[in-house]
Amino acid sequence: MAFTTINLSSYPKLAINNNGFSASQLFRSSFLPSKSFLGPSSFSVGALSFTVDHRPHFNGSRWSSTAFRCFSLKSELSGSVDGHGSNGASAERVVVLVIGGGGREHALCYALQRSPTCDAVFCAPGNAGISASGNATCIPDLDITSSSAVISFCRKWSVGLVVVGPEAPLVSGLANDLVMAGIPTFGPSAEAAALEGSKNFMKTICDKYGIPTAKYQTFSDASAAKQYIKEQGAPIVIKADGLAAGKGVTVAMTLEEAYEAVDSMLVEGVFGSAGCRIVVEEFLEGEEASFFALVDGENAIPLESAQDHKRVGDGDTGPNTGGMGAYSPAPVLTKQLQSVVMDSIILPTVKGMAMEGCKFVGVLYAGLMIEKKSGLPKLIEYNVRFGDPECQVLMVRLESDLAKVLLAACRGELKGVTLDWSPGSAMVVVMANKGYPGSYEKGTVIRNLEEAEHVAPSVKIFHAGTALDSDGNFVATGGRVLGITSKGKDLEEARDKAYLAVEEINWPGGFYRKDIGWRALPQKQFASNA
């Protein structure tokens, strides 16, 4: 018999209505394990059957003697059962599956778990940190590249909402298949996900619907691309047309650097099929910002503003990364500018996609440049999912019921919806593996995470690339590994708390930028960390 491991202590909203007791309460009151008993045993709570394995296992911060394995669920979790085991007929409740296993997905699980209408959160594949935090039940064995496997899981566990985190499953059509199967899914179809999956497609939409963006040309021939670059001069930007894991963009400050980028993509094929066509575009000077909007196909509502730090080194130096830190709100995006972005970029895109026959449902993440010469925003690129690490600062500030809002988006019901945000600011500092964004060593041990999270009440550590070794220690498995996030009454306080927590972490194999937020804070703030 196949088992799915369920840690009930990290599944607080799984409340099976059995005379008012939750499954975990019933277990604690009716089945206390004997120290001498080290084998598995079984018990049932209504229609829910459990195997209890008393062999030692690690629960994320210490070794524990009991593991739960749930292998038969016949009751409906998404009906009238509330988070405390009582019937709540007045509000719809839902079980949510988050697809992905990085820091963005951890933040989404964190926010969904706090949602009053959310009964339980699964995350596939998840990671060791998500599991240990108790923010979701991780399903590492679910093949998220198989739509049929995801659909089968959703039906078995009465999942009422799927939230797709990464872009690759969206571009591959996972949302298409889930929606076809009748499963509400927050994330665009493959056709709409082409806004991120193809830079050329995005630029074509901009041209057609009058959306401000950088001047560009598309090439598949290296000689033609170089000739255009020579005519335009440097600095200039070269982008792989397809998905390249955030590494397909070169901001070339010289012609030689631009030619090298062209050759690496079109001749050497470093990005495979993603780089067989390139977009060469005008270099825009100004300040970058991230703008997010939830979209239901016809309507869009903005999220709070955020700003990330793409370059790997202090002072925005070195190669581009997936993001080394972020903060929210972003002072550069004033309320007036946010209105301009909605009116000139987001809403024309939503309407344009509907006119193209591929309505967009999900989150539109606009990478913007606030041009120095005009003070107005231009679209650099679209992503069709939450940004990472911007999602982390947004989710700790969000006070609305995320599950309810995302369901409304899936149903085309966002019109009139407003979102509540905590006052003040939030910041996330990314800790990455030494060598990132190049090659790096895996398996280095990370210590003092629990102590770091307790330096202040508002600190939350989101795991992006961690696993557990045989001794139960957290180890680094990815490039960007941790997102140390904090809230404060202002950006200065959020920054101080985040860096206080970072300094508590003992990880010789990691590094971090010491100047996150430098554009929005006085330079003296960073003198002590230089």
Side-chain angles (χ1 to χ4, degrees):
M1 180 177 291
F3 294 96
T4 299
T5 300
I6 302 290
N7 182 347
L8 287 184
S9 65
S10 66
Y11 200 12
K13 295 196 176 186
L14 173 57
I16 306 303
N17 189 22
N18 192 315
N19 296 323
F21 293 97
S22 71
S24 54
Q25 288 172 327
L26 281 172
F27 172 76
R28 285 194 294 269
S29 64
S30 62
F31 193 97
L32 298 176
S34 165
K35 289 183 179 179
S36 62
F37 184 72
L38 293 177
S41 60
S42 300
F43 73 101
S44 296
V45 181
L48 188 64
S49 300
F50 292 92
T51 286
V52 187
D53 191 342
H54 307 290
R55 290 169 291 191
H57 78 290
F58 189 76
N59 71 4
S61 58
R62 62 181 184 277
W63 289 93
S64 175
S65 62
T66 305
F68 298 81
R69 286 181 178 176
C70 170
F71 60 89
S72 176
L73 179 61
K74 300 173 185 176
S75 59
E76 288 289 332
L77 294 180
S78 58
S80 61
V81 182
D82 71 14
H84 305 286
S86 61
N87 291 329
S90 61
E92 178 184 17
R93 307 193 60 79
V94 66
V95 175
V96 182
L97 169 64
V98 175
I99 300 292
R104 165 184 50 223
E105 288 75 34
H106 192 175
L108 289 169
C109 289
Y110 169 77
L112 286 163
Q113 189 197 33
R114 301 192 335 260
S115 297
T117 60
C118 182
D119 264 329
V121 185
F122 290 108
C123 187
N127 65 47
I130 296 174
S131 181
S133 70
N135 296 137
T137 299
C138 292
I139 314 295
D141 297 329
L142 179 59
D143 182 5
I144 62 172
T145 66
S146 168
S147 294
S148 60
V150 175
I151 291 168
S152 177
F153 179 89
C154 290
R155 287 174 173 164
K156 177 179 180 181
W157 292 96
S158 301
V159 170
L161 173 64
V162 176
V163 180
V164 185
E167 63 274 16
L170 294 168
V171 173
S172 297
L174 177 60
N176 300 58
D177 296 334
L178 290 170
V179 170
M180 187 73 69
I183 299 167
T185 303
F186 184 77
S189 66
E191 296 77 15
L195 279 173
E196 178 171 0
S198 170
K199 305 293 189 301
N200 183 61
F201 176 81
M202 184 273 285
K203 288 287 194 178
T204 302
I205 292 293
C206 289
D207 284 347
K208 190 171 181 179
Y209 296 98
I211 298 162
T213 187
K215 183 176 68 173
Y216 77 102
Q217 288 288 338
T218 302
F219 299 93
S220 55
D221 176 73
S223 298
K226 290 178 183 178
Q227 180 60 36
Y228 177 77
I229 289 168
K230 184 178 180 181
E231 294 168 1
Q232 299 301 311
I236 198 163
V237 181
I238 295 88
K239 298 180 177 180
D241 179 56
L243 297 177
K247 299 176 182 177
V249 177
T250 297
V251 180
M253 303 309 292
T254 65
L255 291 178
E256 289 72 22
E257 195 178 349
Y259 297 155
E260 287 176 10
V262 169
D263 285 338
S264 69
M265 295 180 197
L266 292 180
V267 179
E268 299 164 22
V270 293
F271 298 121
S273 60
C276 66
R277 181 168 58 179
I278 64 171
V279 171
V280 180
E281 70 177 28
E282 167 192 16
F283 173 81
L284 298 177
E285 188 177 0
E287 190 168 352
E288 290 188 46
S290 303
F291 190 93
F292 299 87
L294 303 183
V295 183
D296 68 3
E298 296 182 0
N299 307 290
I301 58 172
L303 302 183
E304 267 285 8
S305 62
Q307 188 164 20
D308 73 344
H309 298 65
K310 289 293 187 190
R311 301 282 186 146
V312 72
D314 289 352
D316 288 342
T317 58
N320 274 338
T321 70
M324 294 299 295
Y327 54 92
S328 174
V332 67
L333 274 174
T334 63
K335 292 298 182 185
Q336 181 182 1
L337 266 182
Q338 290 181 51
S339 295
V340 172
V341 173
M342 284 296 290
D343 292 340
S344 67
I345 296 176
I346 300 297
L347 292 176
T349 301
V350 174
K351 292 175 183 176
M353 292 297 285
M355 291 179 69
E356 294 294 318
C358 47
K359 285 187 176 183
F360 188 97
V361 175
V363 62
L364 260 184
Y365 162 16
L368 304 173
M369 180 66 75
I370 312 304
E371 270 205 291
K372 187 176 182 180
K373 61 183 179 182
S374 68
L376 294 174
K378 281 189 175 180
L379 180 65
I380 299 175
E381 64 179 4
Y382 265 133
N383 295 301
V384 297
R385 33 70 186 182
F386 286 98
D388 186 343
E390 297 98 328
C391 185
Q392 286 84 315
V393 290
L394 292 174
M395 291 303 104
V396 297
R397 291 193 60 212
L398 182 67
E399 294 187 339
S400 297
D401 185 326
L402 181 61
K404 186 176 182 180
V405 172
L406 299 188
L407 267 176
C410 294
R411 294 168 177 165
E413 299 172 355
L414 279 182
K415 191 172 184 179
V417 172
T418 57
L419 299 175
D420 295 323
W421 303 90
S422 66
S425 298
M427 178 178 287
V428 57
V429 178
V430 170
M431 296 191 75
N433 240 320
K434 284 182 178 177
Y436 175 81
S439 60
Y440 50 82
E441 181 183 356
K442 293 184 179 181
T444 54
V445 176
I446 308 167
R447 294 186 171 88
N448 290 4
L449 289 176
E450 187 174 353
E451 293 84 348
E453 203 162 45
H454 289 149
V455 298
S458 61
V459 171
K460 174 67 179 177
I461 297 178
F462 294 113
H463 289 243
T466 62
L468 295 174
D469 66 13
S470 57
D471 295 321
N473 299 308
F474 279 110
V475 294
T477 59
R480 293 184 298 162
V481 177
L482 300 168
I484 292 78
T485 311
S486 180
K487 291 194 295 183
K489 68 178 184 294
D490 53 30
L491 188 57
E492 182 178 347
E493 183 176 280
R495 177 196 176 276
D496 290 345
K497 290 179 180 179
Y499 276 104
L500 192 64
V502 167
E503 290 161 7
E504 192 72 29
I505 295 170
N506 180 4
W507 182 28
F511 78 98
Y512 56 93
R513 277 185 59 164
K514 300 177 177 63
D515 65 345
I516 302 303
W518 72 271
R519 288 183 181 274
L521 287 170
Q523 291 303 297
K524 64 182 181 180
Q525 295 291 324
F526 305 97
S528 62
N529 289 303

